[in-house]
């Protein structure tokens, strides 16, 4: 009896502790588990009280509670079975069992009055104390229901776990097997207790133990096998190659990722040897990280390797492992990016940056070797794209790169600096001038045209001082090209000292620009444009002059190209445009509204300013008629991005400006392009017609151009008119306007006004 009480108290304490512990957990099952433990607690406590109270009614009351709680233990185990197995069907079973259990509860409660399930029987213990036991009414249906319910519940619980045992994978079978064994053991022990009529009924304690075991095995029990198996599956599943060794260096685990990372070498034997060797070299083993590369199936693979030792709770060495992370892909990606960043996409040779870097290294490595910097420039390359399309342009560039690649010796570094500029740095003895004539012949095969003449120039700079910037070396090679840039006869030019002086002069000019503009050193000169026939002055072309404080008057031929290269031309042009507008306003205020001024627009301006906005704003600002401002655009400017330029011209003309094509015939415009270009005026230059062709042929061309322009309704201006002969011929040919020294050189505004405002006729030259 005392032992039973101690056992009951212990069990109750374990259950109470269980309830507290479970409630601290965050598990969603903590409610049903607490309820189950609470029911078990009630069972144990009520049973202990029932056998210890001294009145029949109290004994009967505690027995009723004990039986009711016993029922609910089984129902709650059933519920938890359903929860843990997550099966829908078990929900219906659970509801039915709860319903039956509720009826049984009602019968048991009514037993307090009617004693239809059991009644208490008094027995006197040897020590004289009274104890109440129970006598079941085995024939009463209420008792039958009670017993049947218990059997059914136990049976269903058993069945559910047995079924689950077979349904689950082998790894988890042990867990259910343990529950089944627990249920069976409890049924057997409790039956034996009854059969042998033990003095104390320990069913309540058995039920409590059953509740604890079910909860433990269902939710908290994790078998060592499962842990090992899941961990090994986890290792198997990772992308990293993992090899584990026991403390003696035997390979105990090698995942398939490892095998695939190392191809044929991915075997335990191979790696045991590797480890053995590695261990010998290291001496003491400790955690390490490093990177290594291996050739696998003919390809290089790159790995991040991690080695570490494994220790148990007490810190004893139990084994070690290597993990290999394949970073080949990221290495390749990095290499690719590095390659792309240092190579020109189109030609696949070094880009400017990499070329400079490589040359710098080479020059440092071999300072005793005499080298030359050789730069290549395609003549009028921008025209190629417009005339023949980008594809042909690209073909030329790729061909040049191909030729460089084909003939470069291993000591030659070559690259594409930008657009059609290439550079090579080679040993002086490797440079053979004749090669370049051959290259040109090769390139000529790509472009067949009567309009465009394929030509390329090569500039050579002998590297005397290897400490100067590589870009300066290239600039010098290009300065050499500059000296032959208009020639089709020359291919190769060598840099000389005085070219350096030009370079120096250019730098000075660029440096002086801001000051000169602010100080008003740039001036607008006007050259009259005269109507053919009556020699009336119709207007003038605005031409810039630089009144330099030291060098005197400088003509635009020497500074315009410099400012075009430096980008400063746009500010200069803006200044000239504004001067022209101001002048038109002055004349307007004097009542002169039939004189026009033509202004020059540099090809660079199209990239650097919004032409349309600039001109319309100026016209609005000065309140002048746009028809009096003529815009001179060169063919070269039109040739790039033709469609964009055409729509710009259309907008300008719609607004009221007159658009003129300057230097027509000097570039590559064929007569046919005249039909497509929407302009008002065509300016022909006597000068270059004279320069390029002679006599008859020049006149034939002139005649054709003038005739065609007339048919298209264009006004023809001829500039560079110097002789009476030319005036006569042009009058005969149908030219509309003259401009040239024959009438007047470009002159300052004041002089122009004095000469022509009062007398508008220039016939008396
Ligand atoms: P351009 O636009 O073709 O200007 C005509 C050039 O021919 C002027 O040279 C003019 O003085 C010259 N010229 C006129 N009549 C004769 C003649 O009978 N015989 C000869 N031999 N030459 C004659 P300039 O003023 O030296 O200008 C040279 C070039 O500089 C211009 O050629 C133009 O392209 C550029 N330029 C001049 N002023 C400006 C400007 O304000 N802005 C821009 N972007 N370029 C300008
Ligand atoms: Ca002009
Ligand atoms: Ca011109």
């Amino acid at each position: 009896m005392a032992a039973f009480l101690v056992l009951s108290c212990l069990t109750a304490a374990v259950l109470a502790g269980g309830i507290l512990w479970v409630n601290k957990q965050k598990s969603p099952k903590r409610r049903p588990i607490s309820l189950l433990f609470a029911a078990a607690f009630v069972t144990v406590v009520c049973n202990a009280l029932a056998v210890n109270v001294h009145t029949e009614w109290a004994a009967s009351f505690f027995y009723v509670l004990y039986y009711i709680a016993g029922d609910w233990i089984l129902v709650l185990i059933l519920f938890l079975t359903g929860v843990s197995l997550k099966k829908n069907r078990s929900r219906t079973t659970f509801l039915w069992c709860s319903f039956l259990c509720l009826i049984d509860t009602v019968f048991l409660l009514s037993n307090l009055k009617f004693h239809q399930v059991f009644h208490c029987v008094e027995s006197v213990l040897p020590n004289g104390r009274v104890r109440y036991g129970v006598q079941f009414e085995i024939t009463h249906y209420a008792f039958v229901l009670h017993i049947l319910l218990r059997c059914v519940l136990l049976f269903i619980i058993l069945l559910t776990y047995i079924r689950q045992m077979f349904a689950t994978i082998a790894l988890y079978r042990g867990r259910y097997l343990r529950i089944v064994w627990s249920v069976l053991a409890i049924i057997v022990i409790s039956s034996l207790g009854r059969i042998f009529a033990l003095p104390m009924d320990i069913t309540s304690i058995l039920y409590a133990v059953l509740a604890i075991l079910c909860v433990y095995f269902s939710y908290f029990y994790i078998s060592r096998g499962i842990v090992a198996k899941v961990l090994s599956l986890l290792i198997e599943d990772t992308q990293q190659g993992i090899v584990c060794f026991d403390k003696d260096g035997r390979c105990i685990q090698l995942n398939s990722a490892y095998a695939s990372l190392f191809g044929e070498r991915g075997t335990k034997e191979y790696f045991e040897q590797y480890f053995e060797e590695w261990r010998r070299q290291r001496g003491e083993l400790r955690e390490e990280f490093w990177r290594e590369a291996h050739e696998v199936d003919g390809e290089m693979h790159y790995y991040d390797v991690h080695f570490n030792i494994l220790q148990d709770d007490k810190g004893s060495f139990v084994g070690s492992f290597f993990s290999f992370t394949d970073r080949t892909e990221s290495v390749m990606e990095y290499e690719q990016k590095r390659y792309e960043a240092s190579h020109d996409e189109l030609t696949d040779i070094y880009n400017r940056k990499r070329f400079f870097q490589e040359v710098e290294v080479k020059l440092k490595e071999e300072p005793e070797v005499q080298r030359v910097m050789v730069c290549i420039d395609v003549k009028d390359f921008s025209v190629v794209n417009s005339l023949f399309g980008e594809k042909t342009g690209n073909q030329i560039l790729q061909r040049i790169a191909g030729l460089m690649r084909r003939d470069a010796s291993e000591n030659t570094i070559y690259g594409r600096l930008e657009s059609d500029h290439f550079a090579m740095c080679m040993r002086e003895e490797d440079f053979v001038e004749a090669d370049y004539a051959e290259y040109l012949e090769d390139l000529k095969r790509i472009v067949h045209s009567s309009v465009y003449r394929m030509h390329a120039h090569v500039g050579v700079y002998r590297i005397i001082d290897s400490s100067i910037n590589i870009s300066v070396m290239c600039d010098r090679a290009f300065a050499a090209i500059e000296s032959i840039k208009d020639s089709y006869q020359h291919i190769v030019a060598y840099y000389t000292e005085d070219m350096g002086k030009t370079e120096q002069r250019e730098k000075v000019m660029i440096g002086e620009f801001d000051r000169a503009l602010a100080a008003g050193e740039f001036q607008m000169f006007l050259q009259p444009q005269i109507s053919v026939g009556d020699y009336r002055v119709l207007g003038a072309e605005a031409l810039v002059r630089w009144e330099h404080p030291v060098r005197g008057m400088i003509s635009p031929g020497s500074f315009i190209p410099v400012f075009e290269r430096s980008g400063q031309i746009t500010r200069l042009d803006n200044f000239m445009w504004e001067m022209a507008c101001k002048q038109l306003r002055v004349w307007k205020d004097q009542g002169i509204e039939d004189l026009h001024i033509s202004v020059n627009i540099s090809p660079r301006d199209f990239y650097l300013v919004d032409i349309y906005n600039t001109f319309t704003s100026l016209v609005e600002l000065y309140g002048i008629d746009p028809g009096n401002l003529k815009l001179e655009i060169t063919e070269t400017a039109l040739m790039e991005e033709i469609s964009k330029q055409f729509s710009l011209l259309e907008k300008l003309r719609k607004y009221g400006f007159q658009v003129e094509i300057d230097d027509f015939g000097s570039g590559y415009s064929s007569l046919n392009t005249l039909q497509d270009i929407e302009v008002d005026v065509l300016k022909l230059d006597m000068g270059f017609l004279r320069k390029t062709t002679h006599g008859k042929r020049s006149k034939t061309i002139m005649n054709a151009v003038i005739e065609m322009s007339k048919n298209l309704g264009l006004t023809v201006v001829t500039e560079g008119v110097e002789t009476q002969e030319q005036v006569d011929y042009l009058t005969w040919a149908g030219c509309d306007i003259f401009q040239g020294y024959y009438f007047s050189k470009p002159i300052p505004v004041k002089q122009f006004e004095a000469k022509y405002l009062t007398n508008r006729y220039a016939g008396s030259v």
Side-chain angles (χ1 to χ4, degrees):
M1 180 69 182
F4 174 71
L5 266 179
V6 170
L7 209 59
S8 296
C9 286
L10 273 177
T11 318
V14 169
L15 288 165
I19 293 170
L20 290 176
W21 182 78
V22 164
N23 271 300
K24 272 194 205 137
Q25 309 299 306
K26 291 214 165 65
S27 159
K29 295 153 222 149
R30 68 176 188 278
R31 272 250 171 89
I33 293 176
S34 314
L35 270 175
L36 175 62
F37 283 176
F41 182 84
V42 172
T43 314
V44 173
V45 172
C46 289
N47 192 15
L49 287 170
V51 292
N52 274 297
V53 291
H54 306 301
T55 62
E56 188 190 337
W57 193 88
S60 177
F61 174 74
F62 286 122
Y63 275 124
V64 162
L65 284 187
Y66 156 57
Y67 288 128
I68 290 174
D71 281 359
W72 287 104
I73 286 178
L74 296 181
V75 171
L76 283 164
I77 288 178
L78 199 65
F79 175 75
L80 281 168
T81 323
V83 171
S84 73
L85 302 181
K86 298 184 179 62
K87 285 200 173 153
N88 231 351
R89 219 175 27 199
S90 59
R91 210 175 120 85
T92 329
T93 318
F94 167 73
L95 287 174
W96 268 108
C97 291
S98 307
F99 174 67
L100 291 174
C101 198
L102 214 62
I103 296 175
D104 194 36
T105 305
V106 173
F107 282 150
L108 284 166
L109 284 174
S110 61
N111 189 75
L112 287 172
K113 187 166 169 63
F114 303 112
H115 307 292
Q116 74 277 46
V117 184
F118 68 89
H119 62 265
C120 290
V121 283
E122 184 187 289
S123 59
V124 183
L125 296 174
N127 59 7
R129 288 179 64 179
V130 175
R131 210 195 91 180
Y132 289 93
V134 289
Q135 178 83 49
F136 289 110
E137 304 296 337
I138 52 172
T139 50
H140 198 281
Y141 68 89
F143 172 75
V144 175
L145 175 84
H146 176 73
I147 287 299
L148 267 178
L149 181 68
R150 289 273 169 114
C151 293
V152 165
L153 284 172
L154 279 169
F155 179 71
I156 294 174
I157 291 169
L158 208 57
L159 200 69
T160 315
Y161 282 119
I162 289 172
R163 275 178 49 184
Q164 192 55 30
M165 205 168 76
F166 288 106
T168 192
I169 53 167
L171 204 57
Y172 288 93
R173 204 157 285 157
R175 154 188 295 191
Y176 298 110
L177 192 66
R178 281 174 175 79
I179 299 178
V180 170
W181 277 124
S182 310
V183 178
L184 284 174
I186 275 153
I187 294 172
V188 169
I189 296 171
S190 122
S191 309
L192 285 177
R194 279 189 203 289
I195 292 165
F196 295 108
L198 289 179
M200 286 323 302
D201 179 9
I202 55 162
T203 314
S204 61
I205 293 167
L206 291 176
Y207 269 38
V209 171
L210 178 67
I212 292 168
L213 290 179
C214 280
V215 167
Y216 173 70
F217 286 124
S218 297
Y219 302 116
F220 303 106
Y221 170 76
I222 299 165
S223 91
R224 277 169 161 258
I226 291 178
V227 177
K229 187 71 193 169
V230 168
L231 288 181
S232 86
L233 285 173
L234 197 75
I235 289 174
E236 194 53 43
D237 201 42
T238 73
Q239 303 285 314
Q240 294 167 325
I242 292 176
V243 206
C244 301
F245 297 93
D246 67 7
K247 67 180 186 9
D248 304 317
R250 268 194 310 257
C251 181
I252 48 170
Q253 175 102 28
L254 183 127
N255 68 353
S256 50
Y258 173 79
S260 70
L261 287 184
F262 282 86
E264 278 181 2
R265 284 189 295 172
T267 61
K268 282 187 176 183
E269 294 70 32
Y270 169 81
F271 224 79
E272 265 170 17
Q273 266 177 9
Y274 176 97
F275 183 46
E276 180 84 30
E277 180 64 24
W278 191 79
R279 199 151 67 152
R280 228 196 330 270
Q281 286 170 10
R282 303 281 143 151
E284 191 201 353
L285 294 182
R286 58 187 147 75
E287 182 166 29
E288 276 184 59
F289 295 89
W290 71 96
R291 287 184 158 171
E292 59 183 43
H294 291 274
E295 200 181 310
V296 179
D297 303 332
E299 274 177 36
M300 274 321 267
H301 280 243
Y302 302 85
Y303 307 99
D304 276 332
V305 192
H306 175 204
F307 170 82
N308 205 359
I309 53 169
L310 298 165
Q311 290 168 315
D312 65 8
D313 307 345
K314 295 180 193 94
S316 326
F317 175 67
V318 288
S320 54
F321 71 89
F322 285 94
S323 88
F324 292 84
T325 311
D326 189 351
R327 54 184 197 96
T328 310
E329 215 169 285
S330 58
V331 168
M332 290 305 177
E333 221 169 84
Y334 170 75
E335 286 297 324
Q336 180 67 23
K337 285 216 176 97
R338 220 170 72 110
Y339 183 85
E340 280 165 13
S342 64
H343 282 72
D344 173 53
E345 207 181 325
L346 178 72
T347 57
D348 213 22
I349 61 177
Y350 287 157
N351 60 17
R352 183 188 184 90
K353 194 173 151 201
R354 182 72 187 274
F355 173 76
F356 285 5
Q357 284 169 350
E358 293 291 324
V359 172
E360 204 170 334
V361 170
K362 197 80 176 172
L363 293 181
K364 274 201 188 117
E365 268 174 13
E366 301 170 356
E368 71 291 350
V369 178
Q370 180 58 56
R371 288 173 192 277
V372 285
M373 182 64 82
V374 180
C375 291
I376 303 176
D377 174 38
V378 180
K379 185 165 161 50
D380 300 320
F381 182 70
S382 56
V383 178
V384 175
N385 283 337
S386 345
L387 287 182
F388 311 108
E390 208 174 295
K391 210 172 142 202
T392 310
N394 288 349
Q395 234 176 318
I396 291 176
L397 300 176
Q398 282 165 335
R399 189 70 197 138
I400 295 173
L403 292 167
M404 288 161 82
R405 197 182 289 123
R406 189 191 70 188
D407 292 348
S409 82
E410 59 173 333
N411 289 307
T412 301
I413 300 160
Y414 53 92
R416 181 183 173 202
L417 303 181
E418 73 242 324
S419 95
D420 61 327
H421 286 181
F422 293 84
M424 283 184 276
C425 181
M426 59 176 82
R427 292 177 173 218
E428 195 168 33
E429 65 267 26
D430 288 343
F431 178 76
V432 182
E433 197 180 312
D435 285 352
Y436 298 87
E438 256 174 59
Y439 289 173
L440 185 59
E441 286 312 308
D442 201 302
L443 293 177
K444 278 182 180 164
R445 272 177 232 131
I446 300 176
V447 181
H448 310 273
S449 165
S450 53
V451 183
Y452 177 74
R453 199 165 149 198
M454 178 77 219
H455 197 75
H457 291 119
V458 177
V460 185
Y461 168 68
R462 191 164 181 266
I463 303 173
I464 307 159
D465 177 6
S466 61
S467 68
I468 58 168
N469 256 333
I470 314 295
S471 70
V472 173
M473 296 180 190
C474 292
D475 285 349
R476 293 189 175 171
F478 281 111
I481 289 180
E482 200 66 20
S483 69
I484 50 163
K485 104 172 188 285
D486 295 322
S487 162
Y488 284 101
Q489 271 82 50
H490 298 88
I491 298 173
V492 180
Y494 295 84
Y495 176 81
T496 55
E497 278 301 310
D498 45 307
M499 288 174 186
K501 283 182 196 129
T502 323
E503 190 186 314
Q504 207 53 38
R505 251 204 322 272
E506 285 201 3
K507 275 197 186 130
V508 172
M509 254 187 213
I510 291 168
E512 283 181 327
F513 178 79
D514 282 346
R515 195 218 64 238
L517 191 64
E521 289 173 20
F522 293 108
Q523 293 171 15
M524 179 173 78
F525 272 41
L526 295 175
Q527 184 175 33
Q529 294 186 331
I530 284 120
S531 154
V532 173
D534 59 2
Y535 296 161
R536 191 178 147 81
V537 176
L538 301 175
E541 177 176 0
L543 293 154
V544 69
R545 294 290 178 267
W546 185 354
E547 176 94 69
H548 195 277
V550 182
R551 294 169 58 198
M553 191 67 85
I554 311 175
S555 69
S558 57
F559 62 84
I560 295 276
V562 178
F563 295 146
E564 275 182 333
R565 277 194 288 276
S566 72
Q568 286 159 318
I569 187 68
T570 307
R571 284 171 59 210
L572 181 61
D573 276 349
N574 255 302
F575 166 78
M576 287 292 287
W577 302 337
E578 185 150 12
M579 291 285 280
C581 292
K582 263 188 198 159
Q583 194 55 53
L584 285 171
R585 177 71 208 200
V586 170
W587 289 341
K588 189 181 172 181
D589 290 343
Q590 293 172 11
I592 302 162
E593 295 197 45
D594 58 347
L595 271 184
H596 69 252
I597 296 182
S598 301
V599 291
N600 289 286
I601 304 177
S602 153
R604 292 279 322 244
D605 294 331
F606 289 89
Y607 295 101
L608 302 171
V609 282
D610 182 337
I611 300 279
Y612 182 79
N613 262 345
T614 313
F615 280 108
T616 50
S617 316
L618 277 172
V619 161
E620 272 158 39
L621 181 66
Y622 289 98
I624 52 167
D625 177 1
N628 283 338
L629 192 66
K630 298 197 180 187
L631 313 179
E632 295 197 1
I633 298 166
T634 62
E635 287 170 276
T636 337
L638 289 175
M639 280 304 179
E640 282 161 34
E641 298 183 79
I642 288 178
S643 60
K644 204 175 123 194
Q645 308 294 37
F646 281 9
S647 71
L648 171 67
L649 295 193
E650 203 182 312
K651 268 168 66 185
L652 289 168
R653 293 181 70 228
K654 247 197 194 141
Y655 190 83
F657 294 108
Q658 294 233 354
V659 178
E660 309 186 342
I661 296 251
D662 201 1
D663 303 346
F664 185 85
S666 68
Y668 302 96
S669 50
S670 70
L671 287 179
N672 292 336
T673 52
L674 270 184
Q675 287 173 325
D676 307 322
I677 303 176
E678 298 263 330
V679 291
D680 306 278
V681 180
L682 209 68
K683 283 189 88 169
L684 304 171
D685 194 310
M686 279 291 323
F688 55 67
L689 275 169
R690 221 178 13 241
K691 247 190 274 167
T692 50
T693 48
H694 296 282
K696 256 188 164 178
R697 197 165 138 70
S698 127
K699 276 195 179 155
T700 319
I701 296 173
M702 204 78 165
N703 289 347
V705 173
I706 295 175
E707 195 185 321
M708 181 118 180
S709 311
K710 294 280 103 185
N711 290 340
L712 293 167
L714 300 175
T715 302
V716 178
V717 178
T718 311
E719 50 183 349
V721 180
E722 289 178 346
T723 62
Q724 177 68 48
E725 221 184 342
Q726 286 167 349
V727 171
D728 292 343
Y729 158 67
L730 290 167
T731 313
W732 170 83
C735 171
D736 302 293
I737 298 170
F738 297 125
Q739 182 186 335
Y741 292 173
Y742 179 74
F743 297 96
S744 168
K745 286 196 168 187
I747 45 175
V749 178
K750 286 277 162 275
Q751 210 175 319
F752 180 89
E753 285 179 325
K755 219 169 158 186
Y756 300 110
L757 285 200
T758 42
N759 176 16
R760 295 285 283 277
Y761 293 92
S764 52
V765 262

